[in-house]
Amino acid sequence: MVRLLPRVLFLLVALAAGAVGAFLLLRPKPPALPDTPALVTRVREVARLETLDVSLYKKVEFSPEPQATNSLWKDVINWAAYSIHTPRGRAIVFADVHLGYDFGRLDGSSLRVQGTRVDVALPPLEVQVELRPGETEIIGSNLDSAQTTLLLEKAREAFEREVKGDARLRERARRSAENTLRVLFLSAGFREVNVVDVLPPPATAG
């Protein structure tokens, strides 16, 4: 009985080693991470345009200058009419503003894959302004239709400048885009997602 004990221990160790080996061979391998072209396609399909939408309004005033002509006498007449009846308009203008990143502009140069890490460079922030003419309130105007169109265009440009200069809104739009990209890449199997404005230089072997 004493002589059989080493053989029994050896057999048990061999069986255990065989079981571990079989487990390692049979366990499912982690799925391969998508390459850069596949990632670009996935980003474009899932999130073509990630935007932050805000509604704004502002009071605007507009008094267009008389247009110069090729005739001196016409210019004199226009200035005389302008001084007597100066065109002027005031309105409260409402608009929907969209801040976002067009992910459809991402390409292979916007992504860098290093193992389970992916770096992605955001495209430029885009601002789109959509006026809501049905809600625009004219509070005093003697402008004609063409001049009223100019007033609304001035309002649209003012909205765009104001939003582009608002650091808080730009940061909100960026966080929204970063969250979308992180969810997308993490679900693809990556463990680290780094969203930047410009891709860092590639790591070099020491």
Side-chain angles (χ1 to χ4, degrees):
M1 186 67 179
V2 175
R3 294 180 179 176
L4 293 176
L5 184 58
R7 295 182 179 180
V8 173
L9 290 176
F10 176 79
L11 181 59
L12 291 175
V13 170
L15 289 174
V20 170
F23 172 77
L24 293 176
L25 290 174
L26 296 176
R27 71 174 181 176
K29 296 182 179 180
L33 294 173
D35 57 13
T36 298
L39 282 176
V40 171
T41 300
R42 184 171 300 188
V43 171
R44 290 177 174 176
E45 288 177 349
V46 174
R48 288 176 52 198
L49 183 63
E50 176 67 18
T51 61
L52 171 68
D53 300 323
V54 293
S55 296
L56 302 173
Y57 72 92
K58 67 169 44 264
K59 181 179 179 181
V60 294
E61 298 186 10
F62 180 57
S63 181
E65 296 290 334
Q67 298 295 317
T69 69
N70 294 327
S71 170
L72 177 60
W73 288 110
K74 286 183 179 180
D75 289 342
V76 171
I77 293 172
N78 287 342
W79 277 105
Y82 180 87
S83 61
I84 296 173
H85 186 67
T86 302
R88 184 174 289 110
R90 292 185 301 160
I92 300 176
V93 182
F94 293 80
D96 293 321
V97 183
H98 314 287
L99 300 87
Y101 298 89
D102 186 357
F103 292 158
R105 298 176 61 180
L106 292 178
D107 55 23
S109 65
S110 307
L111 301 174
R112 179 178 298 132
V113 175
Q114 296 176 314
T116 58
R117 165 179 169 166
V118 58
D119 297 326
V120 52
L122 286 174
L125 178 67
E126 297 182 4
V127 177
Q128 298 178 349
V129 179
E130 295 181 6
L131 299 182
R132 300 195 303 221
E135 300 182 29
T136 296
E137 181 181 350
I138 304 297
I139 55 179
S141 174
N142 60 359
L143 303 177
D144 59 28
S145 59
Q147 292 167 338
T148 300
T149 299
L150 287 176
L151 180 148
L152 294 177
E153 177 59 20
K154 294 291 184 182
R156 190 196 64 77
E157 293 173 354
F159 278 121
E160 186 172 315
R161 287 194 304 270
E162 181 178 311
V163 170
K164 286 183 176 179
D166 191 322
R168 181 180 57 86
L169 287 177
R170 293 202 312 271
E171 180 60 25
R172 285 177 57 191
R174 184 186 179 90
R175 285 200 305 267
S176 178
E178 288 180 353
N179 290 338
T180 297
L181 291 174
R182 284 197 173 93
V183 169
L184 178 63
F185 291 133
L186 291 175
S187 67
F190 291 92
R191 296 181 180 177
E192 184 179 356
V193 182
N194 187 29
V195 182
V196 295
D197 293 318
V198 180
L199 287 179
T204 56

